Amino acid sequence: MNWFKKILNIKSTKKQDLEDDSTRENFVGLESFETGKNLYRKEQYELALNYFDKAIENGYKYSDIFSFRGHCSNYLGLYYDALEDFNKAINLNPQKGIASNYCMRSFIKDSIYDFEGSIADIKEAIRLSKLNNDDNRWWNNYAKENGYKSATEKYEKDLIYLNRKNKNNN
């Protein structure tokens, strides 16, 4: 959490010690983001969306918030909102979750019948998941905990699934 404070130039976590309006807004943005994440983990997606919106309104505009908000929108069937958020998350050039963002965007595109876009995104997720970096090591461990050899294997199976599904839709 301290690195968030450094990024946002927050000198204190006590509201009464905050020096100016922009610092106060950054604190509110970070606080709202953390609350939204906790609600997301409890599968309270509508409430989480409200907190993510509040965080963005208060200047928290990093890729992770758009990913979380996109997940919430997707779970609620708001596919175009989810697509917009994952586009933002990807365009912000995150250091974490980039392959995962492409994978999620792939499934959202599939939900709105953009089959070519869906396949292109899952292929990009596969390509990115093969890069040697800390983020992919984390996602590989997560994939192993869920029965896959690696994140790449999971995305490759997603590609097979999407190809079969789309073939049956044609």
Side-chain angles (χ1 to χ4, degrees):
M1 183 92 128
N2 287 335
W3 66 275
F4 273 133
K5 294 173 192 168
K6 286 181 183 178
I7 289 172
L8 300 175
N9 293 321
I10 296 175
K11 296 174 180 76
S12 171
T13 58
K14 296 178 183 175
K15 288 183 184 179
Q16 65 270 21
D17 294 340
L18 298 175
E19 297 171 0
D20 60 34
D21 289 339
S22 65
T23 305
R24 225 177 338 275
E25 284 180 2
N26 286 337
F27 181 84
V28 171
L30 177 60
E31 192 175 61
S32 297
F33 173 63
E34 292 298 327
T35 301
K37 280 194 326 187
N38 289 331
L39 291 166
Y40 169 82
R41 290 183 180 119
K42 294 176 184 174
E43 298 180 7
Q44 296 178 357
Y45 304 121
E46 287 183 53
L47 285 173
L49 274 176
N50 292 331
Y51 279 94
F52 294 143
D53 289 343
K54 183 177 181 182
I56 291 167
E57 289 169 12
N58 284 288
Y60 192 94
K61 296 181 182 176
Y62 303 97
S63 65
D64 52 350
I65 196 163
F66 293 106
S67 295
F68 274 103
R69 194 169 75 167
H71 279 284
C72 289
S73 294
N74 183 52
Y75 286 124
L76 295 169
L78 306 169
Y79 302 122
Y80 290 97
D81 291 342
L83 181 62
E84 186 177 318
D85 279 333
F86 278 101
N87 288 341
K88 287 177 185 175
I90 289 167
N91 289 332
L92 286 170
N93 297 318
Q95 297 301 310
K96 296 189 178 218
I98 188 70
S100 175
N101 286 340
Y102 273 98
C103 178
M104 278 304 301
R105 191 171 76 171
S106 171
F107 279 96
I108 292 164
K109 285 182 177 181
D110 185 70
S111 296
I112 60 172
Y113 305 104
D114 177 4
F115 302 126
E116 288 179 19
S118 174
I119 297 300
D121 276 356
I122 198 66
K123 286 180 178 179
E124 183 64 1
I126 292 167
R127 185 190 73 77
L128 291 168
S129 71
K130 293 177 182 178
L131 299 176
N132 185 15
N133 58 42
D134 289 338
D135 184 49
N136 285 337
R137 281 187 280 286
W138 188 92
W139 283 104
N140 285 332
N141 288 332
Y142 181 79
K144 287 175 186 174
E145 291 172 8
N146 289 284
Y148 298 96
K149 292 178 186 173
S150 66
T152 302
E153 180 191 49
K154 189 257 188 233
Y155 300 145
E156 287 171 341
K157 288 185 177 188
D158 290 341
L159 175 61
I160 292 167
Y161 166 78
L162 290 167
N163 275 324
R164 284 184 185 153
K165 182 177 178 241
N166 294 337
K167 189 176 186 179
N168 291 334
N169 287 333
N170 289 332

